[in-house]
Amino acid sequence: MFDHMYRIWTLLLLGGFVLPGVRHVSGMDIYTPKEVEAANGTNVKLKCTFSSSHPVSTKSVTVSWNFRPLNSGSDESVFYYQDVPYPPKDGRFKDHAVWSGDIMRKDASITLHEVPPTFNGTFICQVRNLPDVHGSSGEIVLKVVNKVSLSEIGILAAVVGGACAVILIILGIIVAVRFYKGKNTSTDIEIPSRESVWKDPTVCSPEEAVHLTVVMKKKASISSDDEGSEPSSGDDEEEEGLEEDDDDDDDDDDDDDDDDDYGGGDDD
């Protein structure tokens, strides 16, 4: 009985010391997508974020990326970070893996440039933040394909975009047709009105108006000349008549004188 109680107390004491350590190491969590697809020869970002129960700093956090080929061969080092990034100096990932994370934002992502088909496999992201040295790792399955297949969201976005484009094209056609019809209608209305103005017998063209003005001016000048010439001719005739009368009177006087002279001679 005493031994049994002793074991129980011993387990409780050990549990009291061990349980805080379990909670302590379980404070490190890593988050990655399960699968990523990339076209052959393009760049792809492998997203990896983490959370820790301890403060994060560039000196306390270490990041390591490893690669496991499809044939389940041995893991290969892809990238390493501790205070500064350490890209690979040899192997298949040389000049292909670059750092694109931010430790202070709890981001441990990398980017692979110009991925070839040999990059098909599983990429493993491991993050340690002292004293959090234990925790799960994130795994991403990378599929390098000749052409990226559209996801359901991509297909939906393409359908919605295509529908919007078709609607805009139809609206543009309707507006253009209405504008063209309105323009033709206004032109048809203007043409008859101009024809009616030119064909109206009460309205003359500018050329005819100028001609009529010239004719009227000519007539007015002729009338004024006639009026001025008639009085002058009458006066001349009257003056000629008076002169003739004077001449006749002079002739009569001469005849009378002759008669007187002749008659006087007879008396003598």
Side-chain angles (χ1 to χ4, degrees):
M1 183 70 179
F2 179 76
D3 292 337
H4 182 68
M5 293 295 296
Y6 177 76
R7 289 177 180 177
I8 292 174
W9 281 107
T10 302
L11 291 173
L12 290 174
L13 290 172
L14 291 174
F17 288 106
V18 172
L19 287 176
V22 172
R23 290 194 298 270
H24 176 72
V25 298
S26 64
M28 197 74 191
D29 294 319
I30 299 175
Y31 311 96
T32 57
K34 293 182 179 180
E35 186 176 308
V36 174
E37 191 173 276
N40 185 15
T42 61
N43 302 338
V44 59
K45 184 176 182 179
L46 302 180
K47 188 74 174 176
C48 178
T49 58
F50 62 91
S51 64
S52 177
S53 60
H54 288 275
V56 174
S57 67
T58 57
K59 297 183 179 297
S60 64
V61 175
T62 59
V63 179
S64 60
W65 281 87
N66 296 314
F67 173 70
R68 186 181 303 128
L70 293 175
N71 55 9
S72 300
S74 60
D75 291 356
E76 299 179 23
S77 177
V78 177
F79 201 91
Y80 186 76
Y81 179 95
Q82 185 177 11
D83 196 10
V84 292
Y86 293 92
K89 295 182 179 180
D90 53 11
R92 74 175 77 189
F93 298 103
K94 180 182 178 181
D95 300 329
H96 286 281
V98 296
W99 178 253
S100 58
D102 187 348
I103 294 300
M104 300 310 297
R105 294 184 178 181
K106 300 179 180 181
D107 187 356
S109 305
I110 62 172
T111 300
L112 301 178
H113 288 178
E114 301 177 355
V115 293
T118 56
F119 284 11
N120 278 303
T122 303
F123 289 82
I124 303 166
C125 176
Q126 295 178 332
V127 183
R128 301 290 182 264
N129 181 36
L130 295 175
D132 288 341
V133 295
H134 298 286
S136 61
S137 14
E139 296 185 357
I140 304 173
V141 177
L142 177 63
K143 293 182 178 180
V144 179
V145 296
N146 291 329
K147 186 178 180 180
V148 178
S149 60
L150 294 175
S151 61
E152 293 181 359
I153 297 177
I155 294 173
L156 180 61
V159 171
V160 173
C164 293
V166 171
I167 292 173
L168 290 176
I169 292 172
I170 293 173
L171 290 176
I173 293 173
I174 293 173
V175 171
V177 170
R178 288 184 176 180
F179 177 78
Y180 181 75
K181 287 184 177 179
K183 188 175 181 181
N184 289 342
T185 303
S186 61
T187 305
D188 295 339
I189 293 173
E190 290 178 358
I191 291 174
S193 62
R194 291 178 180 178
E195 291 180 354
S196 61
V197 168
W198 293 118
K199 292 180 179 180
D200 190 352
T202 60
V203 178
C204 58
S205 63
E207 294 80 3
E208 294 176 349
V210 172
H211 179 70
L212 291 175
T213 303
V214 172
V215 172
M216 291 177 67
K217 287 183 178 180
K218 288 183 178 180
K219 289 183 178 180
S221 61
I222 294 171
S223 299
S224 61
D225 293 339
D226 293 339
E227 291 175 358
S229 60
E230 287 176 0
S232 61
S233 62
D235 294 336
D236 293 338
E237 290 178 357
E238 288 178 359
E239 290 177 356
E240 291 177 356
L242 292 174
E243 291 178 355
E244 291 178 357
D245 292 337
D246 292 336
D247 293 337
D248 292 337
D249 292 336
D250 292 335
D251 292 337
D252 293 336
D253 292 337
D254 291 336
D255 291 337
D256 291 336
D257 290 335
D258 291 335
D259 291 335
D260 291 336
D261 290 334
Y262 183 78
D266 290 337
D267 291 335
D268 290 339

